[in-house]
Structure formats: C-alpha cells, structure tokens
Amino acid sequence: MTLSNSSLLDRAETLDASDPLRAYRDLFIGVDDPSVSAYLDGNSLGRPTKASAERINSFVTNSWGGRLIRGWDEQWYELPITIGDTLAAVTLGAAAGQTTIGDSTTVLLYKLARGALALRPGRSEIVVDRDNFPTDRYVMESIAEELGLTLRWIDSDRRGGVSVDQLSASVSDQTALVVLSHVSYRSGYLLDAAAIARVTHEVGALLLLDLCHSVGSVPLELDKWGVDLAVGCTYKYLNGGPGSPAFAYVRAEYQRDFVQPIWGWMGRDDSFAMAQGYEPAPGIRRVISGTPPILGMIALQDTLNLIEEVGMGAVRAKSVALTEYALELVRELLVPLDVEIGSPEDAAERGGHIIIDHPRFESVIARLWHKGVIPDFRAPRGLRLGLSPLSTSFREVCVGVGAIRDELAD
Ligand SMILES: *Cc1c(COP(=O)(O)O)cnc(C)c1O
C-alpha cells in the first residue's frame, strides 16, 4: 500500500487493538509470515492452529506409533461420534447422538439425500437452487437420474439467495426433499433456516442443509430450527486441514428408520461380529460406511476448543465486524473503480464472507497471490473475501482491499 493509505492502516490497527478476540490470531501458524500480507481465503482452507501441529505430531508418535491396532479399541472406533458430539454442542446447536464425522461433504450429501428420499416414498421431486455449490447440484442431478425423480430448480438472486417466498412457490405435495446451502458459497447470503424448515415441513418434505460456509462462522440452532439433516466441511472455518472429513447431522427422530445407501461394515450393528447380512447400527453410527479417516479428523478439535472458549456469539460478532469493515473499504476504495458488491449489505442476511465483482478480476488474481494477498476468484468475475473470525485481522482486510485497489488503478 502507498503512504497515502497510512490513515486507513491506522484505523485498521485501532480496530485490531480493540478486538476482544485479537489474542486468538497468535494461536495460528503462519500469521507472522511476511510473504502473506492478507490471507482472505480462510473459508476455503482455514489456517492450522499451533495446537493442531502438536496434536498431529503426538498422534503419529504416541497413538498411531504407540498404540498401533489397539488404538481402534481404545478410542478411534468411537472418535467420529465423540468429535461429532463436540462439534454439535459447540457449533451446531444440536444435542448429542445426531452427528458423525467422516467422508467428504459430497459423499455425505449423497448418503443423506438417499436416506431422506427413502423416508418419503411416492414423492417425485427434489428442490434445489441454481446457485447452490456445484457439488450439491451435481449430486442431486445424479440422484434424480438414478431414481427417476424430478429436480425443481429455484433461480435465486445471485447477489442474495433463496428467499422463503421463493421456496414456498417451489414446494408441493410432490416434494420429498429440499437441499439448500445455509450460507451461499458465492454471495454469502444467510438464509432464514427456521422459516425454510417450516415451509418445507408444511408440505411434508424434509430439509437437508449444507453448512459448509456456516459452521464455525454463524451460530446454528439445528435442533431448535427443526432442520432434518445437515452436512458440512471441516476444512473451512473449523481449520481441520486440507481434505479433512465432513460431518453429517441426522435429527434423532428419523434415525430409527434412516437407511443410507452405502452399506459398510463400520456402520453395521456390532461391526466386529463380521456377521452375514447388513443390519444398520443403532443411532447416528449407521451413517458411517467404511473405516473413518481418524488422522484427518483430529485437528478440527483444536478449533472447536477455541470456539468453545469464546462462544459462537463472540465469533459471530467478530465476523460481522470484519465483513462490515470490508464493505466499508470496498465502498470507499473500489466502488469508485466500478467494482460491484455481490453480497447482502444487511449483516443479518450475510455470513462470514463477501464477494465483489469486476470484469478485470480474473486477470488480477494471479498478481494478488504473487504479492501475498490471497482472496479467491469465483467465475465469472468475482473476488471472494473470506474473513475467518479467529485468525483474520482488520489490518489484513485493509491491506487486501488496498492491494485490489492498486491493481485496478494500475
Ligand atoms: C466447500 C463446499 C463443498 C465441498 O465439498 P467437498 O466434498 O468437501 O469437496 C460442498 N458444498 C459447499 C456449499 C461448499 O462450500
């Protein structure tokens, strides 16, 4: 940034100094790396915590290396469900016994959607929106083809998301399942999950929410809102590491009859009996198929510990402050250069990231990354600024938006 921006930087530093969560940033690896001046993509891949580096090292040495196969009996077999319970309590607003960790979000979308559809036999439609994340759309397309169902597409506002009225107009007594993202991966639109669940239930359908951009960023109350099923990533705001496994939530009242399509030994009742024929395990364990990725699921516990310490309320307050500040800088520095804001301006309708559009963004992204300013490019012309409440500073936001301005002004 140029010298004329020093008053902007002063203000960013004042905001950092009065940030009640400022000390948490130092618990992450890489925040003092001078080659990365603004990491604005913690919603695609969260930074590792220092605690996770220690935990992974100790796991390899002591648990894997020391306990060997005995580790499965001692702890690992239950870990997908015990970590799932912690994740549920700290971030999902969900009681124990409804959440498990394993597979990818893509695979869990398939398993949960198939399980849900089997609970609504005779109905022929799945409602999904055109601006949902690609994997959500593709998985529903494959299921529709497989089962001969119809997809009822909602054309949502790209700067916003699916409204309650739009959903009302799209559901009917033929709707089996509604699949939506709670926070839009592109616009950051935060939908009204309780109202969406109500509209879904009015026609007797089930709601499967994708929480990839919500978990660890916006407070969730799945039990209270009446959400039926949910999936989400752990490598975004939960900092589980690249490809860390996803989580699945199945509301307790459906579990007795819930059968997912990939019948594996680890989800069978009494796995180690190696018995003939598949009998789903009681409870949430039946969502598991094969051996769960233990090494991949341990790091996210460190971020859950931090969130438990500060509470989702404080996380959300910081998140809102960061996106408000980013929008303020965008209006001041970028809107005069023909940048358009592609996210809701009302914080109550927004998750933890914003997106801005400009025809030249595709050509500036490589130069920004080269300079150590790292947002995400989202086709056709969006830069997405992801602001991870525990690890992003106001200074990073200022440096990042300043660098984008410098590129466009060039
Ligand atoms: C990131 C993301 C995914 C990713 O799914 P994977 O199976 O982990 O690749 C899915 N849905 C949404 C909404 C996402 O933002």
Side-chain angles (χ1 to χ4, degrees):
M1 292 184 96
T2 51
L3 269 182
S4 62
N5 292 319
S6 66
S7 68
L8 286 176
L9 276 177
D10 285 348
R11 169 153 155 70
E13 281 164 12
T14 306
L15 290 168
D16 279 325
S18 59
D19 168 16
L21 301 188
R22 67 185 173 279
Y24 285 85
R25 183 171 150 81
D26 292 331
L27 305 179
F28 289 84
I29 291 177
V31 289
D32 44 12
D33 174 355
S35 74
V36 177
S37 53
Y39 188 53
L40 304 177
D41 213 355
N43 62 335
S44 268
L45 178 65
R47 287 182 181 277
T49 61
K50 292 174 180 168
S52 290
E54 273 176 40
R55 185 191 291 272
I56 290 170
N57 196 10
S58 162
F59 182 87
V60 173
T61 307
N62 302 316
S63 301
W64 178 8
R67 303 317 298 158
L68 296 165
I69 195 69
R70 295 169 292 180
W72 280 108
D73 287 341
E74 290 163 1
Q75 194 195 21
W76 304 336
Y77 187 73
E78 294 300 333
L79 214 53
I81 292 166
T82 53
I83 299 178
D85 282 344
T86 305
L87 185 146
V90 173
T91 65
L92 302 182
Q98 303 178 101
T99 308
T100 186
I101 315 281
D103 302 316
S104 62
T105 296
T106 302
V107 170
L108 288 178
L109 278 166
Y110 179 77
K111 290 163 73 170
L112 264 52
R114 283 287 312 269
L117 290 164
L119 295 174
R120 290 293 179 271
R123 292 183 175 229
S124 61
E125 293 185 2
I126 303 172
V127 173
V128 57
D129 71 297
R130 288 273 176 209
D131 209 29
N132 207 336
F133 190 78
T135 222
D136 302 58
R137 291 182 274 120
Y138 304 157
V139 167
M140 295 314 135
E141 284 170 357
S142 87
I143 291 176
E145 198 165 305
E146 184 181 9
L147 302 181
L149 302 176
T150 302
L151 294 182
R152 183 147 306 274
W153 292 100
I154 298 178
D155 284 307
S156 51
D157 169 11
R158 276 166 74 93
R159 292 189 182 194
V162 176
S163 69
V164 176
D165 288 346
Q166 275 179 313
L167 182 66
S168 289
S170 305
V171 292
S172 71
D173 61 4
Q174 277 310 303
T175 311
L177 181 65
V178 172
V179 181
L180 297 173
S181 287
H182 183 230
V183 171
S184 158
Y185 83 101
R186 184 196 302 277
S187 71
Y189 179 78
L190 169 64
L191 54 77
D192 180 347
I196 292 283
R198 214 176 308 121
V199 169
T200 303
H201 295 155
E202 270 164 20
V203 296
L206 294 170
L207 173 63
L208 168 51
L209 270 194
D210 184 326
L211 304 175
C212 283
H213 284 284
S214 321
V215 66
S217 142
V218 297
L220 300 165
E221 293 290 348
L222 298 188
D223 286 352
K224 196 172 101 192
W225 294 340
V227 173
D228 304 305
L229 308 127
V231 295
C233 295
T234 64
Y235 52 79
K236 293 174 176 171
Y237 293 104
L238 297 183
N239 312 310
S244 62
F247 64 88
Y249 164 91
V250 178
R251 197 174 184 79
E253 68 182 277
Y254 301 117
Q255 286 178 11
R256 200 178 54 96
D257 300 317
F258 186 85
V259 182
Q260 54 85 5
I262 303 178
W263 295 1
W265 71 302
M266 277 280 184
R268 193 197 187 280
D269 191 22
D270 198 2
S271 303
F272 288 94
M274 314 266 168
Q276 291 299 320
Y278 178 77
E279 288 291 337
I284 190 69
R285 173 168 288 283
R286 62 181 54 197
V287 172
I288 298 174
S289 295
T291 306
I294 301 301
L295 189 53
M297 73 177 70
I298 60 174
L300 69 102
Q301 295 174 94
D302 297 301
T303 292
L304 292 178
N305 287 343
L306 299 185
I307 296 176
E308 186 171 29
E309 202 173 294
V310 304
M312 275 309 300
V315 168
R316 172 66 173 162
K318 169 87 183 277
S319 170
V320 168
L322 284 167
T323 54
E324 288 282 310
Y325 177 59
L327 284 170
E328 179 188 317
L329 287 175
V330 166
R331 286 186 204 104
E332 185 176 340
L333 302 178
L334 302 182
V335 168
L337 300 171
D338 298 328
V339 167
E340 288 169 22
I341 294 170
S343 295
E345 308 234 1
D346 176 359
E349 291 186 351
R350 194 171 68 226
H353 65 266
I354 63 164
I355 192 158
I356 52 180
D357 288 308
H358 191 280
R360 279 183 55 210
F361 277 160
E362 188 163 17
S363 65
V364 308
I365 184 75
R367 283 204 302 280
L368 287 171
W369 278 36
H370 186 69
K371 282 184 176 174
V373 170
I374 310 182
D376 232 346
F377 177 72
R378 282 289 171 265
R381 51 192 213 119
L383 281 188
R384 196 178 64 177
L385 313 183
L387 311 171
S388 195
L390 294 173
S391 62
T392 307
S393 65
F394 291 90
R395 189 178 208 282
E396 280 180 289
V397 177
C398 182
V399 168
V401 176
I404 295 166
R405 193 268 317 268
D406 292 348
E407 287 298 332
L408 289 181
D410 236 9

